[in-house]
Amino acid sequence: MQSSIRASATAMSGPDRRLRKLLSSPLALFSGGIVILLLLCAAIGPLIYGGQALEMSADRLAGPSAQDWLGTDELGRSVLVQMILGSRTSLFVGLAAAVSATVAGALIGAVSGFGGRGLDNFVMRITEIFQVMPSFVLAAVIVALWGPGMGKIVLVIALLSWPQTARMMRGEVLRIRSLDYVAAAQCLGMRPWEVLWREVVPNAIAPVITLGTLIVGQAILLEAGLAFFGLGSPDVASWGKMLNSGQRFFYQAWWLSVFPGVAIFVTVLAFNLAGDKLAEVFNPRSEH
Amino acid sequence: MATPLLSISNLSVSFGGGAAPVRAVNGVSLSIAPGAAVAVVGESGSGKSTLARTILDLLPAAGRPQVEGRFAFDGQDCDAARRRSLRGREVAMVFQDPLSYLDPLMRVGRQIAEVLAVHEPAAAPDRVDELLAQVQLKPGIAAAFPHELSGGMRQRVMIAMALACGARLLIADEPTTALDVTTQAEILALISKLRAETGMALLLISHDLGVVSTMCDEVHVMYRGKVIEAGPVAQVFAHAEHDYTRSLIAAGSARNAPAGLAADPAEPPVLKLEGIRKSYGKGPHAVEVLRGSGIELRRGETLALVGESGSGKSTLAKVALSLVRPDAGRLELMGRDLLAMSPDALRRARTAMYPVFQDSSEAFNPRRPVLGILGQALAVAGVPQAEREARAIEVLEQVHLSPGAAFLHRYAHEMSGGQRQRLAIARALATGAEVLVADEPLSGADVSIRDRVVALLRELQAQRQLAILFITHDIWLARSFAHRVAVMYKGEIVEEGPAGEIIDAPRHPYTQRLVSAAPVVRETGPAVPA
């Protein structure tokens, strides 16, 4: 009985099997659920609560209650509503930075690993230059020079993150290009870029995507850090900024700092766990 | 009869537990007299390694093994704990891959000294050198790390460690499978010499009857967990009852008649390599891998390229496939010079030739199912998209993967080794290639798979007049399968000619050494007509 189930599982095509594998793992469901919930919050939340964001009330620095679930700040604004607005900033910055870093890094890394030794050396030295830059200081300098703005923050984070992706992609490409099936593809008369694109990249991409989800977490942290030090965009709500303004009232109103802090923690954790699970599922050889 | 050193009765081992445990060993009994040499032969999955590991209770706990049966060592009953206590005291074990059993961060002398510290605390400080001398290694080797030694030297260190514990039984699990024939011959000679000196008994696990017949008095043939034949070596060989045993014997002997010449030497070759030179590295560190080697391959003919690892035969295959560009020389396929072509022309011309690699999970893109793999190859042959599925089924059935439709959506890593190897041939056929370059396609394959693949290649060669460049280290296989043999040594072809002539009467000293080192099934019983 058991063996017949297994046999039908192997007969299923790849995507089906991967989906089933994802759905059967509690950790994947949990982290994936949180990521989806956060995305929903960021997408729909502001449409419902957006208007109330700057609504002040007489209830200043009120603790969590039935009316204001997460309390209010020093101007009587709802912490919950601000957090929902802030999720937009955090997720946008995180995802945009991760996607651009992953795409750029993967392309550069693939070319570096597949091209000649000279090109490879050149690209790797450049990644090293980027990797030794103190990221937070660089971000602070750019913001100080050109003024704050979400686009700039995304750019800074992407600039700092692509080298990790490029190096990982290059390593994978170097490993895979020496395997027999790549030689077999060359012997079929494929052009070098076809071999790279159709045989090498699909097998190299899984760990890079996982790394991308880790970059989401790093980017959210970096954005929060910048906002905490007052280097974020002044006109958008963000979890980091809430932490910054909350610290002044830490002893009177813990909820101003704790809830945004928890939000950052949970978001970064969820993306990292989801990334780990994705990597496992995308490995065609892993069983069950 | 005296008390056997080790006796195993009615041993069964199953893995996995639950509703459907997998039975790896099924009711095996054997006994080893003091000082005797007993062999267990069988293919991978036959349970021979499980049997060997059970003796010292070395089975991986993750497999949830269940062991039934009785063990007695020196006449005393042994439970699992007692068997564990035999390890490294009464019984020592040597494995196929010594590198993974030696500590990479410790000098080998210290590793041997560690064993001595346990078993011979009073040993003199030069005891390590003594042991090294016993396994014919220089004392200086003690200061080396395992990765600095060759495979044969590592195996000698493992044997020295076995000697250090003064074992009375040596279990050798495929001890020479990873080694070249000449090194293999040296290690086997060493084990025989030490047995003569110390009276140590030997349990040899092997898939190679040639090795077994030079080393052991008694053989047990295992097949799917059971011993199907057992007895003195000569007797089993003379009166093999089981088909499996017979094919094992045939694989290791010079009994099969060599194939005659298939092609007229006057006919122009389809693949021709001439004066190929290739070196790696620069300046004083440059290593010349190919030193002006050349071969010619004609339609309908199989040319075996034999030689030890490091002789350059794989590099020559890569040059032939245009995967490596030589420093000098000429490469002609179907009369056209591939080295002088533009990259575009080369892309089109090279598809007349296709590789069949050693079976490994790396021979196929893990993301493509069989249909995708064959579809790519059929596209090269110009088969339109709509017909590819039907043609893929046809090709699969030609290599006896039938019903072909059942394989289309599988992935290569879901298939068995033999099926995968036939898929590799199917892929080559699908491209319409007329020249196959097969680099050790059968090394690591079991005899039963090997026979079937060889028969398949012969059949296809007869149908399509395929030219096959067959790279192998197995000279008996080369003799029975190839029409001609070229012997490669240090980047040069030292001897070339009809397979029977070259192997039965080698002229070059290297070929002579290679042939005499290759273990051959020693048939001491009444001769069986070929």
Side-chain angles (χ1 to χ4, degrees), chain B residues 53 105 138 170 190 209 230 285 288 314 380 385 476 495 498:
Chain B
R53 280 157 189 267
L105 298 179
K138 292 189 202 91
L170 178 69
L190 173 68
L209 272 187
H285 299 294
E288 200 164 34
S314 283
V380 167
Q385 182 83 48
W476 302 128
E495 195 165 2

Side-chain angles (χ1 to χ4, degrees), chain A residues 103-115 120 123-124 127 162 165-171 173-174 196:
Chain A
V103 170
L107 284 176
I108 296 172
V111 170
S112 173
F114 205 70
D120 188 32
V123 174
M124 285 304 108
T127 62
W162 74 266
T165 312
R167 293 185 79 98
M168 173 167 278
M169 186 73 180
R170 165 193 178 258
V173 167
L174 277 181
L196 176 62

Side-chain angles (χ1 to χ4, degrees), chain B residues 46-290:
Chain B
S46 64
K48 59 189 197 300
S49 280
T50 305
L51 171 70
R53 280 157 189 267
T54 312
I55 295 171
L56 293 181
D57 196 36
L58 281 170
L59 296 173
R64 285 183 289 151
Q66 290 137 32
V67 178
E68 288 163 48
R70 282 189 53 221
F71 290 87
F73 192 81
D74 235 358
Q76 282 181 307
D77 263 9
C78 293
D79 58 356
R82 168 96 176 90
R83 279 183 279 133
R84 280 197 294 276
S85 75
L86 294 174
R87 289 181 196 165
R89 289 169 213 277
E90 309 284 344
V91 183
M93 200 154 172
V94 175
F95 299 91
Q96 176 175 347
D97 173 20
L99 191 55
S100 55
Y101 292 89
L102 291 168
D103 184 336
L105 298 179
M106 206 192 272
R107 297 180 194 280
V108 297
R110 266 198 63 204
Q111 302 194 41
I112 299 174
E114 265 193 341
V115 180
L116 281 175
V118 175
H119 297 282
E120 244 182 275
D126 60 352
R127 181 79 174 102
V128 170
D129 289 346
E130 239 175 85
L131 284 167
L132 286 174
Q134 250 184 309
V135 295
Q136 294 153 358
L137 287 174
K138 292 189 202 91
I141 296 293
F145 287 102
H147 70 266
E148 297 171 323
L149 303 178
S150 70
M153 287 155 100
R154 286 177 202 142
Q155 207 57 286
R156 285 167 196 268
V157 170
M158 290 292 287
I159 295 171
M161 289 166 83
L163 288 176
C165 58
R168 291 158 67 198
L169 171 64
L170 178 69
I171 301 177
D173 189 355
E174 300 273 11
T176 56
T177 306
L179 304 176
D180 278 326
V181 273
T182 47
T183 320
Q184 164 171 289
E186 287 164 23
I187 295 287
L188 295 179
L190 173 68
I191 294 179
S192 299
K193 182 191 90 136
L194 294 174
R195 283 192 48 232
E197 284 168 19
T198 62
M200 182 166 61
L202 172 72
L203 176 63
L204 177 70
I205 313 292
S206 180
H207 67 281
D208 188 335
L209 272 187
V211 170
V212 166
S213 70
T214 54
M215 297 292 291
C216 297
D217 327 312
E218 200 184 309
V219 59
H220 295 251
V221 182
M222 272 185 87
Y223 189 70
R224 297 200 179 164
K226 288 191 176 160
V227 170
I228 53 168
E229 242 162 308
V233 170
Q235 186 190 323
V236 169
F237 286 178
H239 307 287
E241 276 168 19
H242 211 275
D243 278 348
Y244 175 67
T245 318
R246 272 187 230 128
S247 61
L248 265 180
I249 295 171
S253 72
R255 194 189 278 174
N256 289 338
L261 280 187
D264 179 4
E267 197 190 323
V270 285
L271 177 69
K272 181 174 169 187
L273 285 90
E274 210 176 69
I276 301 288
R277 288 180 173 276
K278 175 77 195 169
S279 35
Y280 288 105
K282 276 186 193 141
H285 299 294
V287 180
E288 200 164 34
V289 182
L290 295 176

